[in-house]
Amino acid sequence: MPEEKINFELNGKKVTAFSNETIWDVSERLGETIPHLCFSPSESYRPDGNCRACMVEIEGERVLAASCIRKPSENMKVFSNSSKAIKSRSLVLELLDSDQPKENSHNPDSHFNNINKKTKINENRFATKSLPEPDSSHPAIAVNLDACIQCGLCVRACREVQVNDVIGFSGRGSDTKIVFDFDDNLGESTCVGCGECVQACPTGALMPKTVLDENQNFKFAADRKVDSICPYCGVGCQLTYNIKDDRIISVSGRPGPANKSRLCVKGRYGFDYISSPERITKPLIRLDGSKKTKNAKFDVSYILSNFREASWDEALSFTSKKLLEIKNLHGPNSLAGFGSAKGSNEEAYLFQKLIRTAFKTNNVDHCTRLCHASSVAALLENIGSGAVTAPFSEAKNAEVIWVIGANPTVNHPVAATFIKNAAKNGAKLFILDPRGQSLDRYSEDSINFLPGTDVSLLNGVIHTIINENLYNKEYVKKQTIGFEELKRSTQNFSPENVEDICGISAIRIKKLARDFAKSKSIIFWGMGISQHTHGTDNARCLISIALLTGNIGLPGTGLHPLRGQNNVQGASDAGLIPMF
């Protein structure tokens, strides 16, 4: 069905809005940005309407309306440029600016300062209230609440986007202030350092410490920016490096399908190693007479006493000569190449080409067949592809979410935010893991089965789905094979038979199966599933459960093994595996 459209007037011009658009959205789409502070147009942030900096006048209405939360109606007449709206917005900015620090400038190019310059008409006529002391207790984040305007963006960033529940409001009226946990210093709070609040803050009240001096004054801005991908886990967050004099000074999240501008502590602050004085930046060749030892500690003193610096030409010539000697003496299969899933597709392709065409061997591989080898084998066997079938963000469309053999808040923090978002919005989250974890607090049930009993537990789920006729008969008939064999192989794995094996009651196993089968369901699994002697069987069970219920290929459904590196799939597709 075509989307409903609303016709109305904006500043005397006839315009059209979609049903999900606010007045602010329409104005922005048409090229006119209405001033805003508590509202962020970034994905994941809901409008709040508390700062009153985006007020507009609507014909026939006594009071002004916040454009970020007000939707237009048919034939409505809206004025963002009326005298009443302009004066109101100016007064709001004047009141807020009166309490801003006058001596210290934490962020001269802040969103607040830019809006203030364009919006405020009068010089400050109001007294400044007492300003709080700076908080430098956190290793990465500088807190200067003298610049805080209580817009609430940091609260929404922490509670609603990252779902860490550290930041809140305390006090009433003019005594309202931002607090961390129970009014603790940030460094002593439960803050995980994701920096979402820093990215959301429009004033400079929350800033990366790397860009401020000891007096909390802004030191420098970036002279260039470089878009990249986070080098850490397998989420593949898109980010922007802010660079000054060829050194990274801060990192910003960038909109991308995997992260929606979100980052974790590693992606946002884990870049200091790049400028470490101990980083090796030149080729090294082992000194003649220096012997290799099993337990060598590769610290600076060891390297200086056992290696010498060389030019790139010398190092490449030396390496190629040694490789040729080994190849000619022992044959091509005496050589092998182990690549990285943290490189680009192009790098993966060139590396495997080097091994195959220059070394003349197929001995090329990377980490995909180590960490998730069993998952890849099971996926290739059952659905024809080793890739995930749905992104992390599909959790928002799911009604039931399984997390099994994984601890996303620790190993894939940004992926965990989408899971927590979904759980807070009503999705049923089931944690299946012998260990407890922080996601348990959001779960419908945390099923701590006995280690090594994954197959028994999952077969109990399959048995319930089949014997209670909960499987998707049409999907199974048209899209799968081997149903009768699966039915026979699991007939002795009733929940009653497996409850003593896995340590989970039959009632809980049946609920787990019923909720999954009756809903749009998605499964996330980690290396707790794959790195087993029966890892392939673990993955086969999960895939069979999804296929039985038709939970593949639809919104809110799918199979997602949580990868360890950010380009595992791309490196595999580019040939960095021996199966080509």
Side-chain angles (χ1 to χ4, degrees), residues 91-152:
L91 180 59
V92 167
L93 268 296
E94 184 183 348
L95 286 163
L96 293 173
D97 189 46
S98 67
D99 288 331
Q100 288 294 296
K102 301 301 183 288
E103 296 180 3
N104 289 6
S105 179
H106 311 308
N107 186 3
D109 193 38
S110 70
H111 176 69
F112 175 83
N113 285 338
N114 292 332
I115 290 291
N116 196 26
K117 292 172 187 176
K118 298 175 183 177
T119 306
K120 195 177 72 169
I121 299 173
N122 300 311
E123 293 299 317
N124 288 340
R125 297 168 288 173
F126 304 101
T128 300
K129 66 181 181 182
S130 59
L131 301 176
E133 292 297 315
D135 173 10
S136 297
S137 59
H138 195 278
I141 301 172
V143 181
N144 292 285
L145 295 182
D146 55 352
C148 179
I149 58 174
Q150 287 96 46
C151 65

Side-chain angles (χ1 to χ4, degrees), residues 17 22 24 80 82 121 162 169 185 199 202-203 227 235 281 317 321 323 327 379 391 450 460 506 537 547 565:
T22 63
W24 192 95
S80 65
S82 70
I121 299 173
Q162 292 274 348
F169 281 115
N185 288 330
Q199 185 158 306
T203 66
D227 291 340
V235 175
T281 57
S317 177
K321 180 183 176 181
L323 289 171
K327 178 185 172 185
L379 286 164
L450 296 174
D537 285 337
L547 290 172
Q565 311 293 338

Side-chain angles (χ1 to χ4, degrees), residues 45-191:
Y45 286 83
R46 62 171 177 82
D48 198 44
N50 74 65
C51 75
R52 322 311 277 177
C54 68
M55 305 301 281
V56 295
E57 186 174 3
I58 299 174
E59 187 177 86
E61 296 189 7
R62 182 178 60 85
V63 297
L64 300 177
S67 63
C68 69
I69 57 174
R70 182 66 181 271
K71 291 185 177 181
S73 58
E74 193 70 24
N75 298 322
M76 178 187 279
K77 293 184 179 180
V78 180
F79 300 92
S80 65
N81 59 0
S82 70
S83 174
K84 187 176 180 180
I86 291 172
K87 287 181 179 179
S88 173
R89 296 198 295 262
S90 174
L91 180 59
V92 167
L93 268 296
E94 184 183 348
L95 286 163
L96 293 173
D97 189 46
S98 67
D99 288 331
Q100 288 294 296
K102 301 301 183 288
E103 296 180 3
N104 289 6
S105 179
H106 311 308
N107 186 3
D109 193 38
S110 70
H111 176 69
F112 175 83
N113 285 338
N114 292 332
I115 290 291
N116 196 26
K117 292 172 187 176
K118 298 175 183 177
T119 306
K120 195 177 72 169
I121 299 173
N122 300 311
E123 293 299 317
N124 288 340
R125 297 168 288 173
F126 304 101
T128 300
K129 66 181 181 182
S130 59
L131 301 176
E133 292 297 315
D135 173 10
S136 297
S137 59
H138 195 278
I141 301 172
V143 181
N144 292 285
L145 295 182
D146 55 352
C148 179
I149 58 174
Q150 287 96 46
C151 65
L153 274 173
C154 62
V155 177
R156 275 171 277 160
C158 190
R159 288 185 173 181
E160 299 176 15
V161 179
Q162 292 274 348
V163 199
N164 290 320
D165 297 318
V166 176
I167 306 178
F169 281 115
S170 175
R172 293 291 183 269
S174 61
D175 293 326
T176 301
K177 64 176 183 177
I178 291 293
V179 295
F180 309 104
D181 289 340
F182 296 101
D183 205 4
D184 299 320
N185 288 330
L186 182 60
E188 298 166 0
S189 72
T190 56
C191 171

Side-chain angles (χ1 to χ4, degrees), residues 104 136 142 209-220:
N104 289 6
S136 297
K209 272 188 163 182
T210 49
V211 300
L212 300 181
D213 64 18
E214 62 276 7
N215 297 316
Q216 305 303 303
N217 282 312
F218 190 74
K219 284 195 299 187
F220 40 56

Side-chain angles (χ1 to χ4, degrees), residues 543-562:
I543 298 165
S544 295
I545 290 169
L547 290 172
L548 270 176
T549 55
N551 275 307
I552 290 183
L554 298 171
T557 70
L559 298 159
H560 194 122
L562 294 161

Side-chain angles (χ1 to χ4, degrees), residues 229-464:
I229 304 292
C230 179
Y232 287 100
C233 76
V235 175
C237 296
Q238 296 191 28
L239 46 73
T240 298
Y241 290 116
N242 304 307
I243 298 169
K244 172 71 173 177
D245 298 331
D246 288 332
R247 292 174 68 97
I248 297 174
I249 57 173
S250 64
V251 179
S252 305
R254 189 162 54 95
N259 64 313
K260 314 290 185 186
S261 299
R262 308 175 190 189
L263 295 176
C264 73
V265 62
K266 293 177 284 186
R268 197 178 301 274
Y269 300 115
F271 56 82
D272 51 349
Y273 68 91
I274 296 170
S275 301
S276 169
E278 295 186 3
R279 186 180 179 193
I280 296 173
T281 57
K282 295 180 180 179
L284 300 175
I285 295 177
R286 185 177 287 275
L287 295 171
D288 293 337
S290 171
K291 295 182 179 180
K292 298 179 182 179
T293 59
K294 290 182 178 180
N295 301 314
K297 293 182 179 180
F298 282 87
D299 55 21
V300 175
S301 61
Y302 176 83
I303 292 171
L304 292 177
S305 60
N306 288 273
F307 292 85
R308 65 174 177 83
E309 289 186 354
S311 68
W312 281 102
D313 287 342
E314 182 190 2
L316 289 171
S317 177
F318 178 87
T319 303
S320 59
K321 180 183 176 181
K322 289 290 186 182
L323 289 171
L324 278 172
E325 287 177 0
I326 295 170
K327 178 185 172 185
N328 293 334
L329 183 62
H330 301 288
N333 284 333
S334 62
L335 298 174
F338 198 75
S340 172
K342 290 188 176 183
S344 66
N345 290 349
E346 292 79 6
E347 289 168 328
Y349 174 78
L350 288 173
F351 184 77
Q352 66 84 31
K353 188 174 182 179
L354 168 69
I355 304 303
R356 288 189 165 100
T357 60
F359 290 8
K360 303 295 183 183
T361 180
N362 209 43
N363 295 339
V364 61
D365 213 335
H366 74 289
C367 66
T368 188
R369 297 195 318 118
L370 174 65
C371 59
H372 266 296
S374 52
S375 300
V376 171
L379 286 164
L380 286 170
E381 174 188 83
N382 285 273
I383 62 174
S385 169
V388 302
T389 69
F392 307 107
S393 55
E394 269 309 303
K396 69 181 179 184
N397 297 316
E399 296 167 341
V400 169
I401 301 168
W402 281 15
V403 175
I404 178 168
N407 190 354
T409 50
V410 173
N411 297 314
H412 301 83
V414 172
T417 66
F418 294 108
I419 296 170
K420 291 186 284 186
N421 292 154
K424 289 192 74 172
N425 289 331
K428 291 182 179 180
L429 173 61
F430 291 90
I431 308 297
L432 293 82
D433 201 296
R435 309 162 300 170
Q437 58 176 276
S438 59
L439 278 182
D440 289 350
R441 65 184 291 200
Y442 306 99
S443 67
E444 177 83 2
D445 194 4
S446 179
I447 298 176
N448 304 130
F449 58 90
L450 296 174
T453 63
D454 314 59
V455 172
S456 296
L457 172 66
L458 297 175
N459 277 344
V461 171
I462 293 171
H463 181 280
T464 302

